[in-house]
Amino acid sequence: MRFFTSLGIIFYATVLIIIGAGLIIYSLNMFQPQQIGDFLIYLQSGLNTRLIVGLSGLLLILISFSFAQLILGRFQSEKTIAFTTPSGEVTVALTAVEDLIRRITSLLPEIRELRPDVIAGKKGIMVALRVILKSEANIPELTARLQELTKSKIQSALGIEEQINIRIHIAKIVTSEEKDKKRKSQQLETSDQQASLPYSGYGRL
Amino acid sequence: MHREESSLDLGTIKIHKNVIASIASLAATEIDGVKKIGKDFKMGLWELIGKKSYSSIKVLIDKNDEVRVELPLVVKYNYNVPEVANKVQENVRNALEKMTNLTVRNINVAVQGIEKDDTSGRHD
């Protein structure tokens, strides 16, 4: 696998170097547009050259697809929590854990929005929560409850005993007045727009 | 695509990988707590062009005719993930062994997401 990765890196680096060098050469006036035109015409002139160009294009697309999949697969496989059972391996995507944490919002009415970010490392699971609260919430009490709830949910759902570190960042506190104001201003805007449109009440005959 | 083959006096029986994948899929979704079978990159591409028969379940058969199944899953909210995964592994193994007589080596479950159950109430 390492061989393919290094091959991919060399391939992409070579392609980028060739493009870069071509652009530099072109900017230095070493190539005339006529010469490039002649070369392109030559490539299109014979059946063999067209075949070679077409096949090279196809090969490049296939290579790029396989490398994209390799890279994406690698990223995907890194972002999991894994454990083995007698029947095989079970991997849980960290996005699944994030889904699980997001559901907690429904249990705590004081939370308006919750954005979790889960990282699994050697020291355990790191959970970063970005929270938007409603103004009536008691922050110390709520954050303690949220930490406790998140920890217990992860432990009960995944059955893991590793250390879970939960960091909470309160990004915003939204008041109910703010919401009302927004709603009112939106209503006013729409009514103004309706009023300012001349002949808006008339339909086309 | 590779097929699992067994010889009899009357001829050979070939079981397509898709059949193994279908059995695994049905056995997995039978388990309480499984929302659906997950998707992979290729399945998303096939769905984009309107083909929905592609399965994201990977079936690998090695030289000793042992089967390895890779099963992406979406689990329902409020269920214990290892417990559900374990039940899925057991059920898939039993179903495959019962229906195909194959030796199942590994059933690797990948939990891709957790979704709320829309059909029934909360499980506690």
Side-chain angles (χ1 to χ4, degrees):
Chain A
M1 197 63 83
R2 256 186 199 171
F3 170 73
F4 276 106
T5 316
S6 45
L7 197 74
I9 292 163
I10 291 165
F11 172 76
Y12 280 113
T14 315
V15 168
L16 289 173
I17 287 166
I18 289 169
I19 293 169
L23 289 172
I24 290 167
I25 288 169
Y26 190 71
S27 72
L28 292 172
N29 260 347
M30 288 167 86
F31 268 130
Q32 295 304 312
Q34 182 69 36
Q35 283 174 306
I36 297 165
D38 288 345
F39 181 66
L40 291 174
I41 290 164
Y42 164 73
L43 288 182
Q44 224 182 16
S45 59
L47 184 71
N48 282 345
T49 49
R50 275 167 57 196
L51 205 70
I52 290 166
V53 171
L55 286 175
S56 315
L58 199 74
L59 195 71
L60 286 179
I61 290 169
L62 285 176
I63 290 171
S64 66
F65 263 118
S66 57
F67 279 118
Q69 208 180 4
L70 186 83
I71 292 161
L72 286 174
R74 170 166 290 192
F75 284 140
Q76 224 171 20
S77 64
E78 273 175 3
K79 289 184 173 181
T80 53
I81 297 167
F83 43 88
T84 46
T85 62
S87 296
E89 195 182 47
V90 179
T91 52
V92 183
L94 293 186
T95 48
V97 184
E98 286 171 4
D99 280 346
L100 178 82
I101 297 166
R102 226 172 269 129
R103 305 278 174 211
I104 294 171
T105 322
S106 60
L107 300 175
L108 299 170
E110 297 97 326
I111 296 174
R112 176 91 187 274
E113 207 180 304
L114 181 70
R115 282 186 198 166
D117 186 26
V118 182
I119 301 161
K122 283 173 189 171
K123 288 178 185 173
I125 297 169
M126 290 276 292
V127 181
L129 301 175
R130 203 179 150 83
V131 192
I132 296 179
L133 292 180
K134 288 175 189 170
S135 62
E136 58 263 32
N138 178 323
I139 294 170
E141 187 256 333
L142 181 79
T143 46
R145 204 144 48 99
L146 182 61
Q147 279 176 325
E148 206 45 51
L149 200 62
T150 309
K151 198 173 177 178
S152 68
K153 275 279 167 193
I154 294 171
Q155 278 175 339
S156 69
L158 301 180
I160 48 172
E161 285 164 11
E162 278 179 77
Q163 196 190 341
I164 301 169
N165 193 358
I166 299 160
R167 280 171 60 192
I168 298 176
H169 170 70
I170 298 167
K172 208 174 175 183
I173 295 170
V174 185
T175 57
S176 50
E177 282 173 18
E178 237 175 78
K179 267 197 285 177
D180 289 342
K181 269 183 193 173
K182 268 189 183 175
R183 228 180 265 162
K184 274 181 190 171
S185 65
Q186 276 176 349
Q187 277 176 349
L188 273 174
E189 272 176 23
T190 50
S191 63
D192 281 349
Q193 277 176 347
Q194 278 173 350
S196 62
L197 280 172
Y199 308 113
S200 60
Y202 294 97
R204 213 177 257 180
L205 287 173
Chain B
M1 190 174 265
H2 184 85
R3 292 167 173 85
E4 179 59 33
E5 207 169 305
S6 53
S7 311
L8 294 173
D9 296 338
L10 298 171
T12 55
I13 298 169
K14 289 175 183 175
I15 300 171
H16 201 277
K17 272 183 176 181
N18 284 355
V19 176
I20 298 170
S22 297
I23 295 168
S25 168
L26 290 169
T29 45
E30 264 178 12
I31 299 298
D32 196 25
V34 174
K35 175 87 179 171
K36 60 184 179 190
I37 301 296
K39 286 179 187 176
D40 64 355
F41 181 68
K42 276 184 193 165
M43 194 179 183
L45 280 180
W46 281 117
E47 277 188 3
L48 265 179
I49 55 166
K51 195 182 172 187
K52 289 184 179 175
S53 60
Y54 178 83
S55 173
S56 54
I57 298 172
K58 279 183 194 158
V59 178
L60 306 156
I61 301 164
D62 63 14
K63 285 172 190 169
N64 306 324
D65 281 347
E66 286 179 333
V67 179
R68 215 175 77 202
V69 182
E70 286 180 10
L71 194 71
L73 281 186
V74 176
V75 175
K76 284 179 193 169
Y77 177 63
N78 254 339
Y79 282 80
N80 183 289
V81 176
E83 207 179 290
V84 172
N86 224 337
K87 280 182 189 170
V88 167
Q89 286 174 326
E90 284 299 311
N91 207 35
V92 171
R93 181 188 288 275
N94 289 340
L96 284 176
E97 284 176 352
K98 189 178 149 193
M99 291 181 76
T100 62
N101 279 343
L102 293 172
T103 317
V104 184
R105 198 173 131 211
N106 270 337
I107 298 156
N108 297 336
V109 174
V111 180
Q112 287 186 338
I114 289 166
E115 284 182 17
K116 209 159 195 172
D117 188 15
D118 308 321
T119 51
S120 62
R122 192 172 283 169
H123 168 89
D124 285 311

